[in-house]
Amino acid sequence: MHKKTGLYFGTFNPVHIGHIIIANHFAEHSDLDEIWLVVTPHNPFKKKNTLLPDHHRLEMVFRATEELEKIKPSDIEFKLPQPNYTVNTLAHLQEKYPGREFCLIMGEDNLKGLHKWKNYEVILQQHAVYVYPRISPTPDPSPLQDHPRVHKVEAPVIEISSTAIRQDIKVGKNVTPLLHPRVWEYIDQMNFYRQG
């Protein structure tokens, strides 16, 4: 039996309780055996001053998931050529871990754009996509919502934004309820998101 592994991609800048609630929901309420939080590396072709260096974002994901047996941080994309295309990441993972079956986890908002991804047909041919609900300003359904490889999971609707957390930290607001205590400890210690 292949171990079913859900890949939840994100910049996690910073990782917050919303990410962990979603990942844990999939770990506990779907047929996925394990969830990997795949930290997306800084794209060298894009200027993103607000994006912390890769290793700091990975450290925060590690801290947020350390006690959760079924949820793991992953730096797999750090070692792959830029820019990262999901289809290439999946091919690399499949080769590296032949005993696992990899699936994608994404919000409904991302599913709407999936048909624009590089080689999306190949992704859907070889991998299932697990979708969690998002509040969307545009009610148009995704052209792929009825695809046999797309599975909707009734997960909690969490609308917490890393952008809003960064802005709040910058102006000195209390964000501790939105972050794992060890993640907040790291941000505070390292003085992240305060300047600029």
Side-chain angles (χ1 to χ4, degrees):
M1 270 296 284
H2 278 197
K3 204 171 198 183
K4 263 188 139 173
T5 307
L7 302 174
Y8 184 8
F9 290 82
T11 52
F12 302 117
N13 185 39
V15 61
H16 54 63
I17 56 159
H19 297 129
I20 304 305
I21 291 167
I22 295 287
N24 189 64
H25 187 87
F26 278 95
E28 299 298 333
H29 298 276
S30 74
D31 61 349
L32 297 172
D33 301 304
E34 215 170 68
I35 311 299
W36 291 2
L37 267 57
V38 183
V39 182
T40 307
H42 180 108
N43 183 335
F45 307 111
K46 280 188 186 164
K47 199 172 182 209
K48 270 226 172 143
N49 297 330
T50 55
L51 195 60
L52 288 181
D54 301 343
H55 65 281
H56 288 308
R57 290 179 292 118
L58 183 70
E59 173 64 24
M60 290 192 284
V61 171
F62 170 75
R63 285 169 173 243
T65 58
E66 209 177 352
E67 301 127 21
L68 301 167
E69 203 186 316
K70 296 179 186 172
I71 305 172
K72 314 268 183 234
S74 171
D75 63 355
I76 195 76
E77 289 203 322
F78 292 8
K79 307 166 182 85
L80 296 178
Q82 294 275 356
N84 293 96
Y85 291 109
T86 305
V87 68
N88 299 345
T89 303
L90 288 165
H92 175 78
L93 283 168
Q94 214 59 81
E95 199 177 306
K96 195 171 174 181
Y97 303 99
R100 289 180 182 267
E101 180 189 336
F102 290 101
C103 309
L104 292 179
I105 294 174
M106 65 176 65
E108 263 175 330
D109 47 343
N110 284 330
L111 182 65
K112 288 179 186 179
L114 181 60
H115 62 287
K116 296 175 186 158
W117 289 21
K118 182 184 175 184
N119 299 356
Y120 81 93
E121 308 94 326
V122 176
I123 294 174
L124 285 170
Q125 214 178 331
Q126 297 173 2
H127 305 275
V129 177
Y130 287 70
V131 179
Y132 59 89
R134 291 297 297 261
I135 294 167
S136 172
T138 53
D140 325 324
S142 160
L144 294 170
Q145 69 170 5
D146 298 321
H147 193 284
R149 302 285 275 169
V150 172
H151 309 288
K152 285 204 164 178
V153 175
E154 284 310 313
V157 177
I158 311 277
E159 294 293 322
I160 298 173
S161 134
S162 293
T163 307
I165 289 172
R166 291 196 304 273
Q167 286 164 350
D168 281 353
I169 291 171
K170 193 174 166 181
V171 294
K173 292 190 187 300
N174 179 13
V175 295
T176 53
L178 303 174
L179 301 164
H180 185 290
R182 294 203 59 229
V183 171
W184 167 247
E185 183 186 56
Y186 191 65
I187 289 171
D188 192 37
Q189 232 171 25
M190 305 293 286
N191 211 21
F192 288 147
Y193 308 124
R194 290 206 175 101
Q195 303 88 359

